[in-house]
Amino acid sequence: MGHEGPYLQLRPLSGGREWDADPARVRPLTAEELLRARLAEMNARSRTGLGVKQPGPDGTSSGKT
């Protein structure tokens, strides 16, 4: 999300309140964790009828729902 002083500011993928994290204790998601998070988001959106934007080939949103 961003940084404030020596800390990273993180927010849950599902939204919510951000928190400060020590950069020395943060790591990138594994491929499995990223897939699990995207699947959970897609399932949640399908239950609420919001639609899901499909990621493009570079991992960014292509705008399709």
Side-chain angles (χ1 to χ4, degrees):
M1 196 182 112
H3 62 88
E4 182 70 33
Y7 296 102
L8 296 174
Q9 293 179 313
L10 304 178
R11 182 174 294 182
L13 292 173
S14 58
R17 191 173 180 141
E18 69 273 355
W19 71 93
D20 292 336
D22 179 354
R25 299 190 65 195
V26 175
R27 64 169 174 76
L29 293 173
T30 65
E32 181 181 342
E33 290 168 332
L34 181 58
L35 179 61
R36 187 173 291 159
R38 285 184 173 167
L39 182 58
E41 181 182 5
M42 290 177 75
N43 286 338
R45 287 180 176 269
S46 71
R47 287 190 294 272
T48 60
L50 294 176
V52 178
K53 292 184 179 178
Q54 299 296 320
D58 62 354
T60 61
S61 177
S62 65
K64 296 180 183 176
T65 55

